Amino acid sequence: MNLNVELQDENPNSNVGLGVKCSKEVATAIRGAIILAKLSIVPIRMGYWGSKFGLPHTVPVKVTGKCGSVRVRLIPAPRGTGIVAAQAPKKLLEFAGLKDVYTSSRGTTRTLGNFVKATFAAVIKTYSYLTPDLWPETQFNSPPYQEYSDLLASKNLKRQRINNLRTCLQLWVVHLLHHHLRCYYRDCKV
C-alpha cells in the first residue's frame, strides 16, 4: 500500500512551501514530504485592497494557478473579509500569511492534490507581477538635442562659415574668369 502525503511548511515571513511524497511507510512519506516542503519554500508577496494603511493583508493583484484540470484564481479582498475558499486551499493561504482573499476555482476540485498544487502555483505568481512600487528609480536625462545644442549650434556655425567661404571663393573665381575673358577679348580686338 502506498501513502501519498502533502505537507505545507509555514514560515512567519510570508513564505510557504509544498511537499508531496509517496512511500510504503507513513513515517518515510511524512519525512520526505517535510524535506520537499522545506526545499520548495517561496516568498509570498502581500498587498493592499483600497487604501494603504496598516500591514499588507491580501494578494497584490489577481493571480491564477493551474494544475491538471484545476484552475484557482486568487482575488484581492477588503480588510476584514477573511479567506473565502474551500478547506484545502484555505489552510495553504493561512500558512502563507494572507488574511483576506477571495478565491475562484474551476475544474475537478475533488482531486485535492491538484487543488492544493494549483493554489500553490497561484500564490507563487504573486511575485511575477511588476507593479509600480517595484519599479527602479529612473533618472530623467535631457533630450539629446537639448543636451548637445551648443555642439550642434557650433557645427551649424562651422557649416555656415564653410558655405560662406565656398560661395565667396566661387564668386572670386567667377570674377577672375570674367576679368580674364574681358582682357582676352580686349587684347584680341586690339
Side-chain angles (χ1 to χ4, degrees):
M1 179 175 101
N2 286 341
L3 180 68
N4 190 2
V5 177
E6 293 183 17
L7 282 177
Q8 298 142 1
D9 190 24
E10 177 185 6
N11 199 326
N13 299 331
S14 297
N15 296 327
V16 70
L18 180 67
V20 179
K21 182 67 178 175
C22 184
S23 178
K24 291 182 179 180
E25 296 180 14
V26 176
T28 310
I30 291 174
R31 194 176 318 115
I34 289 173
I35 291 170
L36 289 175
K38 287 185 178 183
L39 288 175
S40 70
I41 287 181
V42 292
I44 306 303
R45 185 156 166 237
M46 306 280 280
Y48 297 95
W49 185 91
S51 60
K52 292 185 179 182
F53 66 90
L55 295 173
H57 60 95
T58 187
V59 289
V61 291
K62 295 178 185 177
V63 287
T64 303
K66 183 178 187 299
C67 180
S69 69
V70 182
R71 290 180 189 266
V72 174
R73 188 173 193 202
L74 304 179
I75 305 163
R79 197 177 293 277
T81 303
I83 298 175
V84 182
Q87 188 176 3
K90 188 172 190 174
K91 288 180 183 177
L92 181 87
L93 296 173
E94 285 173 352
F95 279 149
L98 295 168
K99 294 175 183 58
D100 307 299
V101 67
Y102 293 125
T103 60
S104 170
S105 58
R106 288 182 145 201
T108 311
T109 56
R110 282 185 295 181
T111 53
L112 289 181
N114 287 348
F115 198 17
V116 171
K117 287 178 189 175
T119 307
F120 187 66
V123 166
I124 287 173
K125 286 185 181 178
T126 56
Y127 260 105
S128 67
Y129 285 95
L130 186 64
T131 54
D133 58 333
L134 293 177
W135 291 351
E137 191 67 33
T138 55
Q139 295 290 337
F140 292 107
N141 297 331
S142 56
Y145 284 116
Q146 184 179 1
E147 187 175 344
Y148 300 108
S149 61
D150 296 335
L151 180 66
L152 291 172
S154 67
K155 283 187 177 180
N156 284 339
L157 284 175
K158 286 180 184 176
R159 283 188 192 138
Q160 286 176 355
R161 287 179 187 157
I162 290 171
N163 287 338
N164 288 343
L165 186 64
R166 192 176 293 148
T167 52
C168 286
L169 187 62
Q170 287 172 351
L171 287 174
W172 185 70
V173 169
V174 168
H175 175 71
L176 281 177
L177 282 174
H178 190 270
H179 179 69
H180 281 292
L181 285 175
R182 202 176 327 141
C183 290
Y184 176 76
Y185 281 122
R186 203 174 339 141
D187 289 339
C188 286
K189 288 181 184 178
V190 173

